[in-house]
Amino acid sequence: LRVNENRFGSQEVAITDVRLFPSSHLTSGASLRIEIDYRSPHPVDAAIFCVGITQPDGTACVDVNTLDMKVPVPKIQGSQALSLWCVRLDLNQGKYFVNVGVFKEDWEYAYDYHWHVYPLIIDTQTSSSGLLSPPMRWEFITQPRANEVGSLAI
């Protein structure tokens, strides 16, 4: 657990560890699994878990939570864990941070929130600007298509 001054919350539910699989250094388009260990000495109902991926300046690239995704969260008591699977992460090359949190069911306050604690490095095969690096290709068409002949305006 890498915790610093970028952690806040009541600690009624504490995030005890966060792991990134297969690692914190990925190639764009790879999958990412974020595992969150947490514990609470007392029962907590209907918490909201959130995960975000941001650029160093705070620009949000991914911002998801269990409430918006309609994922039922079981009662929290003792030590438990959950995973978020990103099947394909098409971010452009650069440094990012994974932010994780658990909130009271009405977003009234954070039980525990870790902001810019977990670095994520993305590499790409080609360089470009922008936030995303989705799979794409250029295609040169050497002959106009039959239905396009005569439709060119100059």
Side-chain angles (χ1 to χ4, degrees), residues 64-134:
V64 297
N65 65 72
T66 53
L67 180 66
D68 290 347
M69 295 180 74
K70 298 180 181 9
V71 175
V73 175
K75 180 187 290 185
I76 297 172
Q77 186 168 15
S79 295
Q80 297 171 303
L82 74 109
S83 291
L84 174 67
W85 290 81
C86 301
V87 175
R88 184 182 179 102
L89 195 58
D90 287 327
L91 291 173
N92 208 350
Q93 183 169 318
K95 180 177 181 179
Y96 300 87
F97 289 96
V98 175
N99 309 306
V100 298
V102 56
F103 286 78
K104 191 168 173 14
E105 79 260 21
D106 55 5
W107 293 103
E108 185 178 343
Y109 60 88
Y111 293 128
D112 198 2
Y113 188 73
H114 300 197
W115 169 258
H116 281 196
V117 177
Y118 309 100
L120 176 65
I121 305 297
I122 303 291
D123 290 324
T124 57
Q125 300 298 325
T126 60
S127 69
S128 64
S129 59
L131 184 61
L132 298 177
S133 182

Side-chain angles (χ1 to χ4, degrees), residues 5-14 102-103 109-114:
E5 67 277 358
N6 295 337
R7 179 183 190 179
F8 61 88
S10 69
Q11 300 300 300
E12 292 167 77
V13 178
V102 56
F103 286 78
Y109 60 88
Y111 293 128
D112 198 2
Y113 188 73
H114 300 197

